[in-house]
Amino acid sequence: MESEKPRIIPINIEEEMKSSYIDYSMSVIVSRALPDVRDGLKPVHRRVLYGMYELGLTANAPYKKSARIVGEVLGKYHPHGDAAVYETMVRMAQDFAMRYPLVDGQGNFGSIDGDSAAAMRYTEARLTRLAEEMLRDIEKDTVNFQDNFDGSLKEPVVLPSALPNLIVNGSDGIAVGMATKIPPHNLGETVDALVAMIDHPDISLEALMRYLPAPDFPTGGILYGYQGVQEAYATGRGRITIRARMHEEEVRPGRPALVITEIPYQVNKSNLIEKIAQLVRERRIEGISDIRDESDREGLRIVLELKKDAAPLVVQNQLYKFTPCQQTFGVNMVALVGGRPRTLTLRELMRHYLDHRHEVVTRRTRFELRKAEERAHILEGLKIALDHLDIVINIIRYSADPDEARQRLMEGVLPERLSPEERERLGLPLGQVSHFTLTEAQANAILALRLSRLTGLERQKIEEEYRALLQEIERLRSILASEPLRWQIIREELLALKQKYADPRRTEIDYGGKGDFALEDLIEDEQVVVTISHQGLIKRTPANVYRQQGRGGIGLKASGMREDDYIEHLFACKNHDYLLFFTDHGRCYWLRVYEIPEGGRTSLGRSIRNLIQIAPDDRVRAVLNIRKEDFEDPNFLRKHYVLMATRQGMVKKTALEAFSRPRTDGIIAIAFAEGDELVEASLTDGQAHVLLASSGGRVVRFEESDVRPTGRNTRGVRGITLKGEETLVGMVTVPPQAPLCILTLSAHGYGKRTPLEEYPVHRRGGQGVWTMKRTPRTGCLIAIKAVQDHDDLMIVTQNGQMIRLHVGQISRMGRHTQGVRLIQLRPGDAIADVTRLVTEVQADEAVAA
């Protein structure tokens, strides 16, 4: 016999690869990675829950070994690795992974530190009460069943899911070419939203989000910012920022600490602590001296002990910026709808669930109606038997076997062997049939009837049961005939679920969060001193570096100086403040204080030209600092002004709003006459009094309302009339009735305080009144400032020496005196600038006094 030739079928490799890969992809998508939109479960989750249900592991049943459960699921429904089944069951038991766990585990089921669960032979499990809600009514033909892998058993295609599981527990999975990541939600809020959709099917997303405002994660935390939530609910995709919850606490006297009590969802606590420790070692996070994990059965607690000089808010922002204390949850709401993957909005997600529940309730009602009708049919047969009891007994008595008895009951024919006496007693002539017929089911029920049911009481119970069944049948038929009634039932079942299982929201919503960090979030808003030298070197130094000295001291070294350079500007502000720089050319530049390099008392600083784009032949003349919250308030900008004074005695007022959006190359602030330059700029509210001082020792005081507001590109009006070679040396703006003194300081270090009320109010443009007696000993007037007793004064010389004085130490004198020596100048040195520094502690003391 000739040997058979091998059968070879030519196949295009490209087509085979496409076909095989598509089959594999669809298997992963449909049978492994994506949840069904109706019950929110993947096949393995569904099989685990159904397998436990078949084992009788309800919430009030004894626990059973996990290995027994895994074996049941593997052998009957899920022919894959035991690890996959056990890990699925473990996750459904973890309260830090599932918002509402579906498995009640006993033993080690892992931890938030990333510890794995104990082996399945050591742990035990059963269903939770909420898992029972997922399986409720499954025996009432509410869902379709399909063959298992070998066709020997049936398994549910989907669970009835009285719990809106996909919404409350979310889902996470990676398929082929797609993925899903649905966040968990609060059950009470979810039910409220579903009820609102039942009541108003066309409800808008905005109205729906009043009931279901945002996800609610099992580990709590703070949902920071709301735009991502709105995008996710509207489109099915979005980015949600979650922050750890932390607070400041004094763990021991004088040592503050940041205590983390909640961390973002899916963050490993051990890895988080390790990351923080690494960043502290690398000095990327400064201010933490010790890290302790004090978590216990009561809850999570990570203690970050801070150094004495650390700013808790800055450390907190650094933790959010550089560690998993702030995480982004990328929402991608993909689920299987009719076996096909779809990206769903929140409304679609809820609509599909409600449609599923409507189908379940409809099928359940049909099943219950069928069972009720079948039972009513049986009871009707029993009633017939009880009404013709003697005949039924004789049919059964004289039948040869049960089959004959059944047949004669159904036909109502008496046995031929019934004696004439019995027929006569029953009132039936020979050959006469009985007065009833029964169905097979009724005949079987009569044959199975116990003799105890023939008593009068039992006969009454049958009558009552029959009447109750007729009412139940009527009710069930009315449900099937009325869709609004079915929706009412779904509504009531959801509200009952909420009443039974709802709990408070765990994740706080911070609607105002930006999500992204600004640099200022990582910098403490502390008080600093900013210095600008004649040659344009700028730096900021913490204000607490300077210690107070007594009047007449020599002073500390304030800045390392180059030859023929000296300090021109020195002022106190805070790191988050905005700075407006006004230059010789009449331009304004914008800068944040924290953008200025920090330096010590003796450091040179950095050229201001590296920070703002000043022209080579231009230089800064005046600096105005404005607090962050004020500069970002439109109402504040409209109601405040920048008042400028020039060397030739001109003044000009322009609304602050005109300077709120400067460009990198600056904007025009003021127009000058030839040879003029800017001396001072001040922030006012339009109601101030203005004092202008000349180098000759005269001051004019007038109301700010004398100067009308003009645009940026204007010269202004005459403020003070100057004589000879006099120039304007300073401007002060004060409230009309302020309890202030005017500090005057001469070039040779003499100064004094004069009460504000000694300066009479005139019209602008006058020559003014004397404010300091000018002599060769005192030198010309160099500056004036408005001060209070609790202020501190900083005086800087051209050689870089500085003294910090308490204003209360400076004598009060009249306008015609020359003052007292405030600083001992070295030969050839002179005063360069003076500024007033007000500390918060001093302000508090002044208010308390």
Side-chain angles (χ1 to χ4, degrees), residues 733-745:
T733 57
V734 296
Q737 305 299 327
L740 299 171
C741 286
I742 299 301
L743 173 75
T744 51
L745 183 67

Side-chain angles (χ1 to χ4, degrees), residues 220-488:
I222 300 171
L223 198 150
Y224 188 67
Y226 202 59
Q227 184 178 354
V229 177
Q230 293 172 321
E231 291 177 358
Y233 285 172
T235 66
R237 297 175 182 269
R239 294 169 61 86
I240 298 174
T241 301
I242 317 167
R243 284 184 164 186
R245 183 185 298 278
M246 63 180 79
H247 65 273
E248 189 178 345
E249 188 177 302
E250 190 170 329
V251 291
R252 53 195 177 97
R255 295 308 293 267
L258 289 175
V259 180
I260 301 174
T261 55
E262 296 174 5
I263 60 177
Y265 184 49
Q266 296 177 334
V267 167
N268 184 301
K269 175 164 66 72
S270 294
N271 292 347
L272 171 64
I273 295 173
E274 185 179 339
K275 179 66 173 178
I276 294 173
Q278 177 186 349
L279 293 175
V280 170
R281 286 193 300 268
E282 294 174 355
R283 298 185 180 277
R284 292 188 63 191
I285 296 180
E286 297 183 352
I288 297 177
S289 62
D290 188 25
I291 305 174
R292 297 190 300 276
D293 185 1
E294 298 181 358
S295 304
D296 55 19
R297 292 181 180 271
E298 300 300 320
L300 185 143
R301 180 179 169 88
I302 303 171
V303 179
L304 309 175
E305 194 168 318
L306 304 181
K307 298 176 182 177
K308 287 184 178 180
D309 59 345
L313 182 60
V314 172
V315 176
Q316 180 175 319
N317 286 332
Q318 289 176 337
L319 290 170
Y320 287 143
K321 175 72 173 178
F322 300 120
T323 75
C325 282
Q326 176 169 308
Q327 286 285 91
T328 299
F329 187 96
V331 178
N332 186 22
M333 299 198 292
V334 177
L336 295 176
V337 181
R340 294 173 177 269
R342 277 186 54 191
T343 300
L344 303 168
T345 66
L346 178 65
R347 291 187 77 258
E348 291 172 336
L349 211 62
M350 297 173 66
R351 186 75 265 164
H352 285 299
Y353 171 74
L354 289 175
D355 289 344
H356 172 59
R357 284 303 298 165
H358 185 267
E359 182 183 356
V360 167
V361 169
T362 303
R363 292 181 62 163
R364 181 184 68 192
T365 306
R366 287 181 185 145
F367 175 86
E368 291 175 346
L369 176 61
R370 185 170 69 252
K371 291 296 182 182
E373 290 174 339
E374 289 173 359
R375 179 60 180 166
H377 181 65
I378 297 296
L379 291 176
E380 288 171 355
L382 294 178
K383 285 180 63 183
I384 291 173
L386 292 174
D387 292 340
H388 302 83
L389 188 58
D390 289 343
I391 296 176
V392 169
I393 290 174
N394 279 283
I395 289 175
I396 296 172
R397 179 190 298 173
Y398 292 103
S399 295
D401 53 43
D403 290 338
E404 182 185 347
R406 182 183 304 108
Q407 188 64 31
R408 290 187 177 279
L409 284 172
M410 292 169 60
E411 296 174 355
V413 178
L414 294 169
E416 291 80 357
R417 64 180 64 89
L418 191 65
S419 66
E421 293 79 6
E422 287 294 331
R423 287 181 178 278
E424 185 177 352
R425 188 179 68 80
L426 295 173
L428 296 173
L430 186 65
Q432 170 118 14
V433 298
S434 62
H435 299 293
F436 61 86
T437 57
L438 300 171
T439 65
E440 182 177 0
Q442 290 173 327
N444 286 331
I446 291 171
L447 290 173
L449 191 69
R450 294 188 302 174
L451 291 178
S452 62
R453 301 299 299 272
L454 302 180
T455 62
L457 183 61
E458 289 297 319
R459 294 178 67 174
Q460 183 181 352
K461 287 184 179 178
I462 290 174
E463 291 283 349
E464 291 174 354
E465 182 184 356
Y466 181 67
R467 285 194 297 271
L469 269 177
L470 291 180
Q471 293 178 359
E472 179 66 8
I473 289 170
E474 184 64 29
R475 186 187 71 86
L476 294 172
R477 285 175 177 168
S478 66
I479 292 172
L480 290 175
S482 171
E483 183 175 344
L485 194 54
R486 294 195 293 274
W487 284 116
Q488 181 63 26

